[in-house]
Structures are given as C-alpha cells and as structure tokens.
Amino acid sequence: MSTQQWAWSDRLSLKHELMDETHQEFVELCAALSLPEEHSPYLTRLDALIAHSIEHFEQENTWMRDFEFPPAGCHQGEHDAVLQVMQEVRRRYVEGERDLGQSLAEELPLWFEHHVDTMDNMLAQFLINNQLAGKEKDQPSAALA
Ligand SMILES: [Fe+2]
Ligand SMILES: [Fe+2]
C-alpha cells in the first residue's frame, strides 16, 4: 500500500455516523504524515494526529464503559498501545531518529485498517444494536448518532 495515496473510502465505513466522521479525520491526519517537510514540520503533523487520537480513543473508551461493552479491555489495550507507539516515535524523532517518522506513516494505515475491521467494527455493531433495542433513552445520545 502506498501511504501517499491512502485516503478514506467506503470500505472503512462502519455505518455509524459519528464514528465514521472521527475515522475520516484520523485517516486525513495519518495520511498527512507522509507529506514533505516543506509542507509543514513533521512534528506539527504528528502532534495533530496524537491530539486527535487521544480524543478519538477516549470517545470510544467512554462508549465502551457506558454501554458495558464486553471486549472493552482488549479494545482499550489496542488504543493505549498505539498511542504509546506514537508518543515514543515523537520522543525518538526529536532525538534525531528521523527515519522513524516515515516508518510510522507507513505502519499506521495497516494498524488502523485492521483495528477498524475488528475492534471498531464490533463496537459499531454493538452501539447500533443498542440503538435498535431502544436502550439509548437513558444513555448519552452522542454515542448513537
Ligand atoms: Fe476508532
Ligand atoms: Fe477503536
């Protein structure tokens, strides 16, 4: 896969509007990691992705807690692990390991597509089924957009 051509596609849609919007933003910010340094500093683009990811993952973690989603621990563990990788790459990039920046840009799309296909797909179906069951009445409405 060429990360320079990586972009949102319907193949990544989980039919959950709010989750799909967040995922489109992740894809844009992640694809931007492959832009040339003349466009903007790599660290600025990585920081934007990290800031997005903290909110993105916290949103899903909150849904999992609120709805008592059974595989929450496993899903949250993947969020924590990839966030740690991003922060570690940032630390080492600052110390001069510039090659890691491009490695992250190449690996993250693979991680994300797998994560969407498995963890996020299960969560989206779970949220949609809760909505269909009418359980949203006493739950945060944002989860069921
Ligand atoms: Fe997600
Ligand atoms: Fe997730």
Side-chain angles (χ1 to χ4, degrees):
M1 179 192 340
S2 165
T3 53
Q4 288 176 349
Q5 291 164 357
W6 194 54
W8 173 262
S9 71
D10 284 346
R11 172 235 173 285
L12 290 169
S13 172
L14 297 176
K15 313 294 182 210
H16 186 284
E17 197 177 330
L18 196 49
M19 208 182 275
D20 283 350
E21 279 174 20
T22 302
H23 287 170
Q24 285 178 46
E25 195 178 319
F26 182 95
V27 168
E28 280 171 26
L29 293 168
C30 187
L33 292 184
S34 296
L35 292 171
E37 200 65 9
E38 304 88 77
H39 179 278
S40 57
Y42 178 83
L43 279 181
T44 303
R45 288 176 271 126
L46 179 56
D47 284 345
L49 178 65
I50 289 173
H52 159 94
S53 298
I54 289 169
E55 279 191 32
H56 172 171
F57 298 158
E58 190 48 40
Q59 181 182 57
E60 291 178 11
N61 294 343
T62 299
W63 289 338
M64 290 192 282
R65 276 196 302 275
D66 287 351
F67 287 87
E68 298 174 351
F69 180 61
C74 186
H75 191 161
Q76 189 165 341
E78 280 203 11
H79 291 161
D80 293 346
V82 80
L83 200 53
Q84 264 180 22
V85 168
M86 290 183 207
Q87 286 164 334
E88 175 72 3
V89 166
R90 190 194 191 286
R91 188 183 66 74
R92 290 170 62 178
Y93 186 93
V94 169
E95 289 175 354
E97 293 187 65
R98 298 294 160 101
D99 290 352
L100 283 179
Q102 193 50 40
S103 300
L104 185 70
E106 290 170 10
E107 293 298 324
L108 272 182
L110 303 175
W111 173 84
F112 183 72
E113 292 196 359
H114 181 70
H115 185 83
V116 165
D117 287 345
T118 54
M119 297 290 163
D120 287 350
N121 186 33
M122 272 193 287
L123 177 59
Q125 290 309 311
F126 184 79
L127 293 174
I128 290 166
N129 289 340
N130 269 277
Q131 184 179 30
L132 291 175
K135 291 183 180 174
E136 76 273 28
K137 290 188 188 78
D138 52 2
Q139 297 289 351
S141 58
L144 302 162

